[in-house]
């Protein structure tokens, strides 16, 4: 059974509580980071929170400072029942498309959980095929479900760390400051130096229009 639920407001544990009351426990929250950047992978995380150890202050990762994300990341990794991460490379994004790549990363994350979920709350409009459990798509879920918010934080923190490491190898692109997003400085660097194979997404504008 897959269904879709609209959502708004601050995240809480009500969707998870409903799943638990229906016998669908453990329940995982799933979200991604990196759909829009010009460089780097798309990264997804799946998190099963302990209902008695939900970190205080969980929210959509985009609403949090980098310092607050790091604090919550450490709390999630310490107290969650299970955490798993999946990623799909820029090269594979170019071979398929960003939607398929995102769903594939989400499926990796759910299937990689050390504790098998009975249910999954998926941020967005789509539920990946091939999940090992029933799932629900939750529009704007990172602002509604604490489990999805936790997943958004894990995915964002780990992806940012990946891009900072890549920035050490390719300093001309300033990846440490923008994590691969299409800032003016990043676009200027692409115009000057071209794209980097297996790092940049050549099907994304402006790389698509360039003779790389």
């Amino acid at each position: 059974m897959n269904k879709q639920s609209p959502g708004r407001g601050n995240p809480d544990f009500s969707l998870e509580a409903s799943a638990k009351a229906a016998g669908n426990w453990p329940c995982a929250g799933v979200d991604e980071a990196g759909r829009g950047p010009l460089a780097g992978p798309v990264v997804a995380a799946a998190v099963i929170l302990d209902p008695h150890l939900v970190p205080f202050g969980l929210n959509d990762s985009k609403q949090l400072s980098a310092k607050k994300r790091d604090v919550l990341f450490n709390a999630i990794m310490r107290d969650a029942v299970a955490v798993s991460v999946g990623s799909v490379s820029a090269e594979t994004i170019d071979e398929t498309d960003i939607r398929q790549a995102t769903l594939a990363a989400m499926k990796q994350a759910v299937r990689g959980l050390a504790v098998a979920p009975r249910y999954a709350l998926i941020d967005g409009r789509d539920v990946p095929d091939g999940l090992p459990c029933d799932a629900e798509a939750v529009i704007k879920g990172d602002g509604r479900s604490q489990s999805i918010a936790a997943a958004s934080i894990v995915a964002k923190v780990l992806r940012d760390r990946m891009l900072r490491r890549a920035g050490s190898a390719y300093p001309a692109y300033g990846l440490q400051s923008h994590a691969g997003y299409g800032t003016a400085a990043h676009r200027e660097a692409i115009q000057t130096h071209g794209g980097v194979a297996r790092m940049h997404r050549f099907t994304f504008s402006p790389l698509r229009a360039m003779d790389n």
Side-chain angles (χ1 to χ4, degrees), residues 3-201:
K3 59 183 180 178
Q4 186 178 91
S5 174
R8 66 176 67 182
N10 296 323
D12 59 29
F13 211 68
S14 60
L15 287 173
E16 293 88 338
S18 295
K20 188 174 184 180
N24 293 320
W25 196 260
C27 177
V30 186
D31 202 0
E32 54 72 29
R35 286 184 70 115
L38 305 180
V42 60
V43 175
V47 176
I48 299 173
L49 291 174
D50 182 335
H52 305 292
L53 290 172
V54 177
F56 179 77
L58 290 175
N59 204 345
D60 172 5
S61 63
K62 297 184 291 296
Q63 303 300 318
L64 302 170
S65 68
K67 182 177 180 179
K68 183 64 173 176
R69 286 196 298 266
D70 283 340
V71 169
L72 286 167
F73 173 86
N74 290 335
I76 294 162
M77 298 303 293
R78 181 187 67 231
D79 294 333
V81 173
V83 178
S84 176
V85 176
S87 68
V88 172
S89 69
E91 191 171 26
T92 301
I93 292 169
D94 285 340
E95 291 171 353
T96 56
D97 60 51
I98 188 59
R99 177 180 174 275
Q100 291 184 63
T102 298
L103 294 174
M106 287 179 164
K107 180 168 70 173
Q108 287 178 25
V110 175
R111 295 181 71 89
L113 285 164
V115 176
R118 293 284 299 276
Y119 202 71
L121 301 169
I122 312 290
D123 184 62
R125 297 179 178 275
D126 300 312
V127 172
D129 293 331
L131 293 182
C133 60
D134 289 335
E136 173 180 353
V138 185
I139 297 168
K140 299 186 184 300
D142 45 13
R144 181 173 181 182
S145 158
Q146 289 177 327
S147 297
I148 296 177
S152 79
I153 291 165
V154 171
K156 171 67 173 169
V157 169
L158 291 179
R159 187 182 184 280
D160 283 358
R161 291 178 182 178
M162 291 178 187
L163 270 292
R164 285 197 294 272
R165 291 188 67 179
S168 298
Y170 302 102
Y173 295 90
L175 297 168
Q176 296 94 329
S177 64
H178 53 66
Y181 282 85
T183 63
H186 190 194
R187 289 173 179 270
E188 182 177 349
I190 290 169
Q191 290 294 331
T192 301
H193 304 288
V196 176
R198 295 183 296 282
M199 184 181 79
H200 281 103
R201 303 175 184 180

